[in-house]
């Protein structure tokens, strides 16, 4: 009698470990002892296709799930001081880029926070900073701007449309008022619909609507109702985000009293709910003329491609310049930013320090990225795209194969059924199950050094 030995299945993992929108994560950054000059950092970098990101750290309210670098409200003098500092920073950065070779921006984005927290006049000034100080031609490149229902006013949208905005992204999260309240996001559906109407009237080519699944009390029926309400506006893009409850956020404080055992049981049920709603949302959008770009991003198949900006995650590539105290910049060797916080008091303190800064010529906080980390980052960002990673592209950049560089990780992904065995030869692509588990797969590719730095980070 012959005994067959089976390879044991890998232990179960939680499907929602972390949303990997940048690698290494900002919690792995540290104060830079050498404080390198921006001129030296950018001297050898290609400058013919840079990305520009301007960060506005203000919102009218802070949602219960939000851990972004933003504060609630701002007196008028603070927004003026912030734009003054942003302009000083832009002048310093553009000077650091030099004129030895042409400097060209291929894409631009305004994020936050909520950029449209600024008045129409302040948005004009923000665009002027991008164009007159940095040299970005906003009318000739994809320009993406984030907004909210309360701040998507006709005068603000008119400025954005006139200055060349090609994509506007609005955080709706849910069209069900009770669910919005459960996520500590005070809004009414009527106000959301009115804002969407104003956006369409502004004739900005690409509309993206953000929705969240996994909200307390949300059902498949109510989730489909939100999806159908969004689809009624025929958005060119939809992002479907799983709800996270992160430390120091409003929802985290509300749930802090629960015991460890109760939380563990709730987490298992919550994971199941989110996976189920993700599948419902994915299948619904695929059946209504959308294609899946990543776990989160869905694009209408007949959307105007020439108006779109970078693919999901692609804005995190090298050659990105971030302006503002919550923005990051990426060279091939260093990722840098200002200090990071989630607690409102800490954020206000960092904003105050930013507005008082006169010298923006050096990098203060960041993390150096060696070749090994660059390989991880390239694999991670490419693999999280539904299109996958052409092995030839990886080989051309690094001179090696991902299978040789990451044998253990890719073997585990294969054992879990996360890799698409039917992908064409030479293409490393996730299966539907792999895409569904992107928030477990991404963190699994973090290096030990980055993990240690993130674990040692003191939350504030």
């Amino acid at each position: 009698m012959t005994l067959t030995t089976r390879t044991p299945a890998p232990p179960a993992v939680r499907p929602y470990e972390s949303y990997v929108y940048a690698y290494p994560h900002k919690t792995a950054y540290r104060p830079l002892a050498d404080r390198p000059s921006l001129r030296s950092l950018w001297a050898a970098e290609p400058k013919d296709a840079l990305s520009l990101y301007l960060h506005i750290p203000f919102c009218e309210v802070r949602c219960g799930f939000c851990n972004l670098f933003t504060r609630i409200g701002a007196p008028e003098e603070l927004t003026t001081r912030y734009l003054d500092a942003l302009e000083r920073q832009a002048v310093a950065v553009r000077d650091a880029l030099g004129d030895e070779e042409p400097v060209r921006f291929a894409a631009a984005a305004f994020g936050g926070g909520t950029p449209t927290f600024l008045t129409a006049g302040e948005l004009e000034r923000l665009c002027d900073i991008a164009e007159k100080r940095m040299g970005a031609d906003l009318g000739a490149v994809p320009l993406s701007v984030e907004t909210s229902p309360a701040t998507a006013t006709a005068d603000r949208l008119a400025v954005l449309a006139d200055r060349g905005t090609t994509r506007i992204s609005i955080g709706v999260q849910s069209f069900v008022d009770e669910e919005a309240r459960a996520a500590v996001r005070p809004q009414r559906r009527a106000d959301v619909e009115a804002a969407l109407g104003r956006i369409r009237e502004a004739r900005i080519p690409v509309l993206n609507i953000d929705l969240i699944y996994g909200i307390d009390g949300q059902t498949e029926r109510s989730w489909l109702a939100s999806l159908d309400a969004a689809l009624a506006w025929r958005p060119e893009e939809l992002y479907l985000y799983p709800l996270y409850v992160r430390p120091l956020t409003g929802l985290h404080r509300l749930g802090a009293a629960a015991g460890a055992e109760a939380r563990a049981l709730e987490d298992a049920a919550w994971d199941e709910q989110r996976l189920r709603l993700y599948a419902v949302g994915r299948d619904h959008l695929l059946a209504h003329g959308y294609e899946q770009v990543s776990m989160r991003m869905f694009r209408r198949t007949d959307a105007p491609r020439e108006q779109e900006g970078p693919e999901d995650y692609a804005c995190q590539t090298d050659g990105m310049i971030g302006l503002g105290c919550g923005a990051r910049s990426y060279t091939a060797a260093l990722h840098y930013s200002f200090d990071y916080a989630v607690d409102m008091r800490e954020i206000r303190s960092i904003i105050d320090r930013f507005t008082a800064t006169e010298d923006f010529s050096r990098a203060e906080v960041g993390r150096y990225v060696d070749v090994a980390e660059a390989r991880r980052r390239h694999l991670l960002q490419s693999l999280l795209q539904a299109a996958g990673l052409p092995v030839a592209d990886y080989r051309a950049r690094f001179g090696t194969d991902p299978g040789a560089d990451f044998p253990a990780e890719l073997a585990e992904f294969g054992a879990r059924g996360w890799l698409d065995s039917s992908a064409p030869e030479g293409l490393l692509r996730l299966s539907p199950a792999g895409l569904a588990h992107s928030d477990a797969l991404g963190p699994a590719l973090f290096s030990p050094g980055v993990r240690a730095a993130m674990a040692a980070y003191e939350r504030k």
Side-chain angles (χ1 to χ4, degrees):
M1 181 178 177
T2 303
L3 295 176
T4 302
T5 303
R6 288 189 174 184
T7 302
V13 297
R14 291 201 64 194
Y16 300 103
E17 295 287 343
S18 177
Y19 170 25
V20 184
Y21 57 89
Y23 179 81
H25 190 270
K26 218 172 181 181
T27 54
Y29 293 11
R30 294 294 184 272
L32 298 166
D34 56 344
R35 297 181 64 245
S37 72
L38 300 189
R39 183 173 289 275
S40 66
L41 288 176
W42 288 97
E45 296 290 313
K47 304 180 184 71
D48 59 338
L50 297 170
S51 296
L52 179 63
Y53 176 77
L54 275 66
H55 179 259
I56 303 300
F58 308 118
C59 289
E60 72 276 13
V61 296
R62 192 170 198 187
C63 305
F65 51 82
C66 178
N67 73 335
L68 297 178
F69 188 94
T70 187
R71 59 164 284 172
I72 301 171
E76 183 178 350
E77 55 84 17
L78 177 57
T79 58
T80 298
R81 285 193 291 114
Y82 186 83
L83 290 172
D84 289 345
L86 199 68
E87 188 160 6
R88 292 195 300 273
Q89 185 186 19
V91 170
V93 172
R94 182 60 188 85
D95 179 67
L97 293 176
D99 295 310
E100 293 78 14
E101 58 185 288
V103 175
R104 175 181 171 270
F105 290 94
F110 301 160
T114 308
T116 49
F117 179 89
L118 300 178
T119 65
E122 289 170 333
L123 285 172
E124 288 276 17
R125 186 180 178 193
L126 186 69
C127 292
D128 284 344
I129 291 172
E131 291 198 321
K132 297 178 181 178
R133 299 306 185 190
M134 290 303 300
D137 187 350
L138 299 182
V141 302
L143 170 61
S144 178
V145 182
E146 296 173 9
T147 191
S148 68
T151 62
T153 58
D155 59 338
R156 292 174 169 107
L157 293 169
V159 169
L160 295 177
D162 183 60
R163 299 302 291 263
T165 302
T166 57
R167 177 182 182 271
I168 194 148
S169 178
I170 183 168
V172 173
Q173 320 315 350
S174 177
F175 283 84
V176 180
D177 289 351
E178 294 79 8
E179 291 179 3
R181 286 195 293 271
V184 193
R185 182 181 178 86
Q187 67 183 27
R188 296 184 308 128
R189 176 171 176 173
D191 296 331
V192 172
E193 300 278 3
L196 288 167
R198 292 190 294 271
I199 291 171
R200 281 311 198 195
E201 288 170 3
R203 297 188 177 277
I204 293 170
V206 174
L207 165 64
N208 171 70
I209 297 176
D210 289 345
L211 297 175
I212 284 181
Y213 55 92
I215 300 171
D216 188 31
Q218 192 175 48
T219 64
E220 290 184 22
R221 184 175 180 178
S222 67
W223 176 228
L224 285 170
S226 270
L227 289 166
D228 286 336
L231 290 173
W233 292 97
R234 288 185 50 76
E236 284 72 23
E237 295 174 5
L238 277 160
Y239 272 69
L240 308 185
Y241 288 94
L243 179 64
Y244 276 91
V245 177
R246 299 177 176 94
L248 303 181
T249 61
L251 286 178
H252 182 262
R253 288 192 293 271
L254 288 174
E261 184 176 350
R263 283 199 302 271
L265 292 173
E266 289 172 0
D267 285 346
W270 192 28
D271 285 347
E272 182 181 344
Q273 178 207 21
R274 286 181 287 181
L275 279 174
R276 183 176 67 255
L277 294 178
Y278 161 79
V280 167
R282 175 199 61 200
D283 294 349
H284 196 64
L285 295 186
L286 293 179
H288 282 76
Y290 286 75
E291 61 181 337
Q292 186 167 17
V293 178
S294 70
M295 172 186 166
R296 287 166 170 74
M297 181 181 178
F298 294 81
R299 180 194 291 126
R300 214 178 72 210
T301 54
D302 63 347
R305 301 302 173 90
E306 71 276 4
Q307 302 287 355
E308 293 167 1
E311 299 287 311
D312 186 29
Y313 293 91
C315 63
Q316 312 299 338
T317 54
D318 299 337
M320 178 169 159
I321 290 177
L323 302 180
C325 59
R328 312 166 202 232
S329 296
Y330 303 103
T331 69
L334 178 69
H335 296 183
Y336 63 93
S337 68
F338 285 83
D339 202 2
Y340 171 71
V342 175
D343 179 77
M344 188 63 66
R345 287 171 298 181
E346 294 286 347
I347 289 173
R348 289 182 175 185
S349 176
I350 293 170
I351 292 173
D352 288 341
R353 291 201 300 273
F354 175 82
T355 60
T357 299
E358 294 294 336
D359 182 5
F360 287 100
S361 66
R362 295 183 175 275
E364 304 286 345
V365 178
R367 185 173 184 87
Y368 284 98
V369 178
D370 60 19
V371 174
E373 291 288 18
R375 288 181 178 133
R376 285 186 180 275
R377 185 164 174 257
H378 187 89
L379 174 64
L380 188 156
Q381 291 177 326
S382 301
L383 204 54
L384 292 179
Q385 296 293 297
L389 167 64
V391 174
D393 290 355
Y394 184 97
R395 189 183 299 123
R397 180 173 180 182
F398 299 110
T400 56
D401 283 358
D405 291 341
F406 302 98
E409 292 92 336
L410 293 177
E412 179 183 350
F413 298 161
R416 293 187 182 279
W418 291 353
L419 298 180
D420 184 359
S421 58
S422 67
E425 185 175 354
L427 181 66
L428 195 58
R429 186 172 65 192
L430 295 183
S431 65
L435 276 175
H437 287 80
S438 292
D439 286 5
L441 186 150
L445 287 171
F446 291 4
S447 71
V450 166
R451 288 177 182 276
M454 292 175 66
Y457 175 77
E458 185 176 345
R459 293 190 180 100
K460 57 185 179 181

